Each structure stands twice: as structure tokens, then as C-alpha cells.
Amino acid sequence: MSDKIVQEIERLLEEARLRVYNDSETGLGFLDEAFELSKTHDYKKGIAWSIMRYGSYALSSGYRYKAIEEYKMSLKLMLELKDYQGVSRCHYSIGTVYALLSEFDLALAHLMKAKALSKEYDSTYYMKLINNIASLYLELNQYENAINMSHYIIDYMKKNNLERLYLPHVSLGDIYLKMGKYKEALFSSEKALEYLEGEDEYSYVGKCNLIIAGAYKGLKYFDEALIVYNRALKLLESSGDFQKSSSIHRDIAEIYLKRKEIDYAFRHCQKAMTLSLKHRSEDAESKVYYLYSKIYETLENYEKAYEFYKKGSEIEKKLYSERLIKKYKAVKTEDIEIEDIEIEESLSLDRTLSELKTTYLDLSLSEKSELTDAFVEAIVDTIDMRDTTTSGHSKRIAKYSLEMMRQVNLDKENFGDVMFTESELKEMYYAALLHDIGKLAIKESILLKHQRLTLDRIEALQHKFVYMKSCLKVRLEREGLNDAEVNILASLDTSMEFIKSVNSKQYLDDYTIGKLNEIYKMELIDCDGYSIRLLDKFELEHLSVRRGNLVATEWVDMKGHAQKTKEFLENIPWLKSIKNVPKIASSHHEKLDGSGYPAGLSGDELSTQMRILSIVDIFEALTASDRPYKAPMSINQAVLTLKSEAEDGKLDIKLIDFFESKGICYLCKEELESKS
């Protein structure tokens, strides 16, 4: 096929791309022409990219599941063609649609795949992709991850002299707004507006104004909020972005409700409903119904409040049911395609690893060492990016471990029979850095779980609480309540506050667990005659975890990371001098009494290197100041905890005393204090 035809197809595709949102009818004409021309000349790349563009047009028309189907079809073709730029774009597009469908875990999985293929060929696209990943962390309520990712983007953009620095600042504003840090949200949005000055980006200027309005609303500067919300509406509508308009009208209605200006609240509710119906957004529609319910509750018209709450609840149930059906259908039909895609990706990865291994074996000793250093550093950065709340953990473990080994070499009086070689020091360095590589195989919902119940689940509980309260008040007016129901009505507020306080606790006593069981027993009959509880069995199980926030099944999965570390590292062709890296790295949860995991090693089965790694891993976790789910221990408290473990026969007391007496426990003190 001639270059002229290829150029014509590419021109038509570009014309179609430019018209997706502002002239779709003309754009589809260009796209149809590109598709037919590609088929006529059997130009498979043109066919693949045409199908992807059809997905974009389906999305712009509101047909989200149709868009996913088109993108997945294009993805399969891109993989066959080994067009990895196209593969990345398809994953990016699929992830974007899943985000719109509130399937944030699926969205994150696809964007991570897109990210793995994007950095090399397009830094601007890579930056945009990372920014969207930060937004997904926000949707998943992983605020620290989202903030750290946004700062990473800012540094990356400055380092590469990239334009559009407003993007990460807009994301930061969004994050801080959702966290309730309104002043920080204002600062980030105003910073973004500075970068947007002179840019023809009305959509982002509108979004900045939306964040500023939300911050003013949070600070209860209602007059300022209303002015800025109206400005944001005009900006977003002028840029053709009508999707957020329903949400803005809901926000405005909430302000008028707080000010008891009910007529204005109703007026903006009606506008929000009209827009949600126009854009086929049932999710937005359900939220408007909930807002109507709040308005009627304020007016003490509980029958109406219940009626609208029920409508919103029915839509939510329908949406949830539809998502389950879609997933079921995907398992029965589309997963055949997905499986083929994943097999192809796996084969491609296997071929790449095989080629790397062959190349590695042909290298000189010094070249192998350099390659190993680069590989280990890249893996550690990947682990840190996946769980940014523990960023730096592995590097601090390596510092503690190497300093311990060097000091042991110098102390002939206590460790005269031990002398670590340079190879053993190197071995320990790699093992310490890679000891948590197995966490890459752990589901993010477990790895990044910082509270017993997710914020989405807590929000759902609050909806249930409002529903129960409305039902009880309706029944109180209609027929009266029995003594048990009166007690439930009187205690609903305190019960909900108690649940929210329990959700973030690190340890629960018997009283708290008993109180949770009492709340679980709260049961009433709603207005339709159905039995309902404030807490269900799932919520009770997760809230009642005595220590930490993982239930038994989640804890089993989390413990599996040590074995995964061993399996991953055993697949690497280590130099003979450092061949024990997998064995040492996977031993960081082993105990002298055999109660550890994954292998249950004990006594002499644990080398000095393994014992050191276990000690410093526990110490670093106890003193870390960057864990959102717990406060850090002081260094003295952490050392006492280590000694307590040693008294129980789990850790080596001689090494712990040495760790303390040589002052190694203070090695990262300044770094930890700067992070806190």
C-alpha cells in the first residue's frame, strides 16, 4: 500500500478526532471514510484506530458501555499489530470510561497498564495519564496517594519543561476540597489559575472556579460561593462541558437549603434534574432525589421526604444491579476476548524477559552489576509509587541493615565469629530494598486499606441512617412506635457517630465490640413493611476487627506477599555471589520461635542477615510517620517493643541490644521527623 493512502487515512482520522465533541456529525463522516478506506486496502492499523475513534464518538453521545466494547475490540487489534502506542491509548480510554461509570478499581487497573507503555514515546500524554491516576486515587479516597502522585507530576513536568502545569494543581485543589482542607484547596486552585492565564482552556478555568466555590461553601462563605458557582457554570457551558452542570445546581440548591431559602433550593433542584435526564445520568438523578428528600425533611414533610428518598434508593439499586449484570455478561462473553488479550500481553512480556535474560547472560561481570543496580532501583520506585504512604520504607530498611552489618564487622568482642563480606553486604542491600516486592501481587483494596470501612461504605451507611430516621418519623405520625423503636429513633444519631469514630481506630476493646453488636441488633420495619438494620453482617465483621483494619481473609492475602517476594526474586538470574537475595528478602516476617511466615523458619535456620532484616523491618514500621492509619511510636517505645518480642522468643535480643547501644536506631531520625 502506498504512503499516500496511509497519509490520507491518518489525515481523516485526525479530522475525526478534532470533531468528537464540537462537530460530531461531520467528524463521523471523516471517520466512516477512514474506516472504509482502511478496509479496502486491508490497512489493519487504520482499522484499529478507526474502531478506537468510534468508541470516542459513542462516549461523547453518552453510550458508555458501547464505547468500552469498541475500545476493547480496538485493543485486541492493537495487540495483534504490536502497536503499543495504540494499546496504551486503548487502556487509557477504557479506564476513562470505567471512571465515568464509577468503577474506579477497574479504571485504575487499565490506566496503570496504559502508564507502563506510555512514558517512552510521549511525555505530555504520560503526564496527563499520571494526572488521571491521581484523580482515581482521589475517587478511591486514597488521599495521600493522590497528593503524592500530584506532587510527582509537578516535579516531572518541571524537570521535563512541560507546559500545562495547571493540571496537577487543579488535581491538588480537587483532593484538598474532598478532604475538607478548604484553604489548601483555594491555594492550589488559585495557583492553577495563574498557570491558566492566557490559555484557551475554559473547561479547566471552570473547574478551578468550581473548586474555589466548593471551598467557599465549605468555609460557609455562601455569598462568595454562589457568585463563583454561577461563574463556573458559564465557563463550563461555554466550553461544551455540560456533564458537571447538574452537580453545580445541586451544590447551589444545598446552599439555599442551608440559608432556608427553600424556593431557590427547589428551583435549582429542578434544573439539576432536567440536566441529569437530558444527559442520561441516572447517578445524578438519584442524587437530586436525595436532595429533594433533604428539603422536604427540613420542611418536616416526612412522607414526601420518604417518597423522594425511596426514588433515589431505587435508582441506586437498579444501577448496582445493572453493573452486576454487565460484569456477569463480561464473564460469559467478553472475557473470552479479554482472556486472549491478557494471554497475548503475557506472552509478549515472557518474550521480553527471555530476551533480557539472554542479553544479561552475555554481559560482563561489571555490566551485570550495573544492570542489577538499575533494575532494583526501578522496582523500588514502582513499589513506592503503588503505595506512596510507605514511600521510602525499603530504602530506610536498607540503611539500617547495612549499618548493622558494618558495625557487627567492627565489634570483635561481641561478634568475633562474624565477618560479612562485600558480597554479603551487597546481597543484604538488594534483599532489603526488594523485601516488599511481593506486595505488587496484593490487591490495592487490601494493600491500601487504611480504615475498617471505605468512605463510600460509610456514606452508604449515612444514607441508610437518613432512610431509617425518615421511616420512623413517618410511622410515628401514622401509627405510633413501640418502646424499642422509640429507643432506636433516639439513639440513631449517637450510633452513627460512634460507628464513624470506630472506623478509624487502630485497636478496639471489649466494650466497643459489644457496643457494635448492640447496634447490629437494631432492627425496624420500614414504611413498606420490610425489616432493615443499621449495620449488616459485612459491616459488623469489618468494624469489629480488634487490631488493625483487615478481616481474617484479607490478612491471609496480605501475609502472602512474603511468599510472592520469594517467587518473584527466584525468577531473576542473580550473580552467584548474591544468590541468597530471594531467601533473605522473603524472611522479613520469620520469627526465631517458628511462628513467622512464609516458611515458619526457626532458630539456626535463620541467618544473622535474616534476623537483622526482621528486626529493622518491625522497627521501621513502628516508627514510620507517614502511615495514615496509625501514629508513629517514639524510638524508645519501638526499641522496648522489640525487646518485648525478644522476651517472647521471637527476635534476637543480642542484635536488638546492639542496634540500640550503637545508636543505629537513630540513623533515620531526621528523615522521619521531616516527614511527620
Side-chain angles (χ1 to χ4, degrees), residues 21 54-64 67 71 93 96-97 100:
Y21 292 103
Y54 279 124
S56 300
Y57 277 91
L59 180 60
S60 71
S61 300
Y63 300 105
R64 294 170 179 175
Y71 289 140
S93 300
T96 300
V97 184
L100 292 171

Side-chain angles (χ1 to χ4, degrees), residues 30-234:
F30 283 116
L31 185 53
D32 289 339
E33 197 176 337
F35 184 61
E36 290 303 323
L37 193 57
S38 298
K39 282 203 304 182
T40 301
H41 295 278
D42 196 27
Y43 181 45
K44 291 182 179 177
K45 184 175 180 179
I47 294 170
W49 281 87
S50 296
I51 293 171
M52 187 167 73
R53 292 283 174 248
Y54 279 124
S56 300
Y57 277 91
L59 180 60
S60 71
S61 300
Y63 300 105
R64 294 170 179 175
Y65 287 106
K66 177 64 177 173
I68 289 175
E69 288 175 14
E70 299 284 2
Y71 289 140
K72 285 183 177 178
M73 196 184 305
S74 177
L75 176 59
K76 187 175 182 182
L77 290 171
M78 296 289 190
L79 282 163
E80 289 174 1
L81 295 166
K82 294 184 174 57
D83 181 352
Y84 294 112
Q85 178 180 353
V87 171
S88 177
R89 298 277 177 170
C90 286
H91 279 304
Y92 175 82
S93 300
I94 295 167
T96 300
V97 184
Y98 276 132
L100 292 171
L101 292 166
S102 300
E103 298 281 2
F104 300 120
D105 287 323
L106 286 171
L108 188 60
H110 280 283
L111 290 192
M112 283 298 191
K113 287 182 179 180
K115 171 181 164 291
L117 296 164
S118 65
K119 191 172 182 180
E120 295 301 320
Y121 71 82
D122 190 337
S123 58
T124 302
Y125 167 63
Y126 175 76
M127 172 273 301
K128 186 178 177 183
L129 179 55
I130 295 293
N131 195 63
N132 285 357
I133 289 172
S135 298
L136 280 176
Y137 279 135
L138 171 62
E139 294 294 347
L140 291 164
N141 301 314
Q142 296 172 17
Y143 299 128
E144 291 300 321
N145 282 351
I147 289 170
N148 289 333
M149 188 68 79
S150 295
H151 284 300
Y152 167 79
I153 298 162
I154 291 169
D155 292 340
Y156 177 82
M157 292 179 75
K158 286 180 177 177
K159 182 180 176 182
N160 291 278
N161 295 316
L162 295 178
E163 297 178 351
R164 306 184 81 194
L165 254 169
Y166 54 84
L167 283 172
H169 287 289
V170 172
S171 293
L172 277 172
D174 220 359
I175 296 161
Y176 287 129
L177 181 64
K178 195 165 185 182
M179 292 174 75
K181 294 186 175 183
Y182 302 120
K183 290 181 180 178
E184 290 88 341
L186 282 171
F187 175 81
S188 296
S189 299
E190 285 164 2
K191 191 75 177 172
L193 285 173
E194 286 178 24
Y195 286 113
L196 279 161
E197 195 170 339
E199 297 283 344
D200 188 20
E201 291 282 3
Y202 296 114
S203 177
Y204 282 101
V205 174
K207 189 166 184 181
C208 285
N209 277 275
L210 192 53
I211 294 166
I212 291 168
Y216 280 142
K217 180 185 170 191
L219 293 166
K220 298 184 179 178
Y221 300 158
F222 295 137
D223 288 336
E224 291 86 346
L226 287 171
I227 292 167
V228 182
Y229 271 132
N230 281 295
R231 187 193 306 153
L233 262 177
K234 290 176 183 176

Side-chain angles (χ1 to χ4, degrees), residues 386 438-444 446-447 557-558 560-561 564:
R386 185 155 190 255
K439 286 185 177 178
L440 294 175
I442 305 300
K443 289 186 289 188
E444 290 200 347
I446 295 174
L447 181 65
D557 287 346
M558 179 62 91
H561 83 273
K564 288 292 183 184

Side-chain angles (χ1 to χ4, degrees), residues 496-620:
M496 192 66 226
E497 289 306 312
F498 179 76
I499 288 167
K500 285 158 74 175
S501 70
V502 166
N503 197 42
S504 57
K505 286 184 178 179
Q506 190 63 18
Y507 175 78
L508 303 185
D509 55 22
D510 290 338
Y511 168 79
T512 304
I513 292 173
K515 179 74 174 170
L516 286 169
N517 278 285
E518 286 177 19
I519 295 172
Y520 171 70
K521 291 173 185 174
M522 286 185 182
E523 188 173 5
L524 58 87
I525 304 301
D526 71 7
C527 299
D528 295 323
Y530 294 105
S531 175
I532 185 171
R533 293 178 187 268
L534 180 56
L535 287 178
D536 61 26
K537 286 184 179 179
F538 173 91
E539 291 155 351
L540 177 67
E541 180 191 8
H542 283 253
L543 284 168
S544 300
V545 175
R546 190 172 289 275
R547 186 182 295 277
N549 52 45
L550 299 179
V551 297
T553 52
E554 292 172 335
W555 181 235
V556 169
D557 287 346
M558 179 62 91
K559 286 171 68 175
H561 83 273
Q563 178 61 29
K564 288 292 183 184
T565 289
K566 187 171 186 290
E567 291 170 7
F568 286 164
L569 296 181
E570 282 178 343
N571 285 321
I572 297 170
W574 299 99
L575 295 168
K576 286 183 181 179
S577 58
I578 54 172
K579 64 182 180 182
N580 290 320
V581 168
K583 188 175 180 182
I584 297 168
S586 62
S587 71
H588 59 285
H589 287 296
E590 298 287 1
K591 299 288 187 286
L592 287 174
D593 63 357
S595 63
Y597 59 89
L601 302 176
S602 63
D604 293 339
E605 291 177 304
L606 293 167
S607 67
T608 305
Q609 287 164 296
M610 293 176 178
R611 296 177 187 212
I612 289 172
L613 188 60
S614 294
I615 290 168
V616 299
D617 183 58
I618 295 171
F619 176 80
E620 206 290 318

Side-chain angles (χ1 to χ4, degrees), residues 290-409:
Y290 285 136
L291 186 51
Y292 271 125
S293 178
K294 281 184 185 177
I295 295 171
Y296 280 113
E297 189 177 3
T298 302
L299 294 170
E300 297 186 359
N301 186 338
Y302 297 114
E303 291 218 29
K304 276 283 188 184
Y306 168 71
E307 179 188 328
F308 279 101
Y309 185 88
K310 189 177 175 183
K311 285 181 179 178
S313 181
E314 284 171 353
I315 291 173
E316 272 196 340
K317 287 176 184 175
K318 174 176 172 283
L319 289 173
Y320 180 69
S321 175
E322 284 177 354
R323 284 171 191 158
L324 285 179
I325 291 167
K326 289 285 182 183
K327 287 180 180 178
Y328 175 77
K329 285 182 178 177
V331 170
K332 302 302 286 182
T333 58
E334 291 177 8
D335 258 16
I336 297 169
E337 294 181 6
I338 294 168
E339 186 179 326
D340 290 342
I341 289 166
E342 289 175 347
I343 289 170
E344 179 60 38
E345 287 178 321
S346 177
L347 290 172
S348 175
L349 180 61
D350 288 344
R351 285 195 293 272
T352 304
L353 289 173
S354 177
E355 289 165 7
L356 282 172
K357 190 170 182 180
T358 303
T359 305
Y360 180 86
L361 295 172
D362 291 336
L363 295 174
S364 67
L365 196 61
S366 62
E367 287 172 328
K368 284 179 180 177
S369 181
E370 287 176 12
L371 180 60
T372 304
D373 284 342
F375 166 76
V376 171
E377 287 170 10
I379 289 293
V380 172
D381 288 342
T382 301
I383 296 169
D384 282 351
M385 280 188 70
R386 185 155 190 255
D387 183 4
T388 52
T389 60
T390 60
S391 176
H393 167 72
S394 297
K395 290 174 183 175
R396 290 192 290 274
I397 295 292
K399 283 184 186 177
Y400 289 129
S401 301
L402 291 183
E403 187 59 24
M404 278 276 280
M405 291 172 72
R406 292 189 186 107
Q407 293 287 348
V408 165
N409 279 352

